[in-house]
Amino acid sequence: VLSFFAAFANYAYQFVHPVTAVELLSEMTSTSAPLESIGRNGKPTLVDFWAPWCDNCRVAAPTLREIEKEYSDRVNFVVINGDGGTELSYQLISKFNVDAIPHLALLDEEGVVQTTLIGPIPVSVLRADIDTLLENAALASGTTVVSNGNVQEEGKDVLVMSPNDSSEGQQPQVEVSQQQQQFMVQSKKELPYKMYDAFRGRPDSDRTIRF
């Protein structure tokens, strides 16, 4: 009973005192993945630059939080206040070649920037790009994505579920041999949504972000 009233009181407080978008982005900034994790832990990375005065950043904040909750165990989330006024924030703006905010960079598991998305982005677009980055990361590590995110270790045959047959009790539709797995490692997919190349005209090496 006490836990019920505690939960109700918390809900009532949140209803009366909703978290603002700037507070949400500030919280995500404080809990960001370490910069050193980019390209070093086998996970793709999402880097978002925002500023308190940015209207589009405030609009995008709930979507960004939704995506973070959904993928936090599989993707590095780095949220940066581009108007923070610190030496580090200026260094990061230069490193990612940020010339407008919001600026959302998607990096593969090796820390290579694959695309930059500008402005409020639909959650479906972010999911599609992130899912592709995760598939590519699994292939690069010698694993194969099966049945909505589960993976199979290299050196074993893999039974792959059809995308529409993810419910329990469904039979695998496609068998992938070890030879096919080797081919898949070399067949990374392009992101379905690419918007802006922030490194156009710069050396390709600049796309690889490491700390």
Side-chain angles (χ1 to χ4, degrees), residues 14-72:
Q14 294 295 334
F15 183 80
V16 177
H17 304 86
V19 176
T20 67
V22 171
E23 289 173 334
L24 186 61
L25 289 167
S26 297
E27 178 186 342
M28 295 176 69
T29 300
S30 65
T31 59
S32 285
L35 292 170
E36 293 77 13
S37 65
I38 298 176
R40 299 187 185 277
N41 62 2
K43 298 179 181 181
T45 300
L46 181 154
V47 180
D48 181 72
F49 288 85
W50 68 282
W53 45 260
C54 171
D55 290 337
N56 282 334
C57 298
R58 292 195 291 270
V59 171
T63 297
L64 192 61
R65 170 48 68 89
E66 180 181 348
I67 289 292
E68 182 190 40
K69 287 182 177 180
E70 187 173 343
Y71 292 96
S72 60

Side-chain angles (χ1 to χ4, degrees), residues 57-205:
C57 298
R58 292 195 291 270
V59 171
T63 297
L64 192 61
R65 170 48 68 89
E66 180 181 348
I67 289 292
E68 182 190 40
K69 287 182 177 180
E70 187 173 343
Y71 292 96
S72 60
D73 59 333
R74 292 171 288 166
V75 175
N76 303 313
F77 283 85
V78 179
V79 182
I80 300 164
N81 182 353
D83 197 33
T86 66
E87 182 178 353
L88 178 59
S89 64
Y90 292 134
Q91 290 175 351
L92 293 174
I93 286 172
S94 175
K95 197 172 188 70
F96 283 88
N97 205 26
V98 177
D99 57 9
I101 290 180
H103 177 110
L104 190 152
L106 293 175
L107 292 74
D108 66 15
E109 76 286 348
E110 296 177 349
V112 180
V113 177
Q114 296 297 308
T115 191
T116 298
L117 305 176
I118 305 296
I121 307 300
V123 67
S124 59
V125 169
L126 284 175
R127 283 198 185 103
D129 275 356
I130 290 174
D131 286 343
T132 299
L133 288 172
L134 288 169
E135 290 179 23
N136 288 342
L139 293 175
S141 67
T143 60
T144 301
V145 177
V146 295
S147 187
N148 292 337
N150 294 318
V151 297
Q152 176 76 29
E153 294 298 330
E154 182 180 17
K156 300 179 182 178
D157 287 346
V158 181
L159 296 178
V160 181
M161 298 291 288
S162 168
N164 296 322
D165 294 335
S166 59
S167 58
E168 294 183 0
Q170 294 290 338
Q171 294 299 315
Q173 299 299 311
V174 182
E175 185 175 18
V176 181
S177 67
Q178 295 179 30
Q179 183 178 6
Q180 287 172 311
Q181 287 184 60
Q182 294 174 0
F183 172 76
M184 292 166 68
V185 169
Q186 302 173 359
S187 305
K188 284 190 173 184
K189 297 179 181 178
E190 288 289 325
L191 298 188
Y193 298 99
K194 286 190 172 183
M195 180 181 292
Y196 174 63
D197 183 1
F199 296 90
R200 189 173 187 177
R202 294 176 60 172
D204 283 344
S205 58

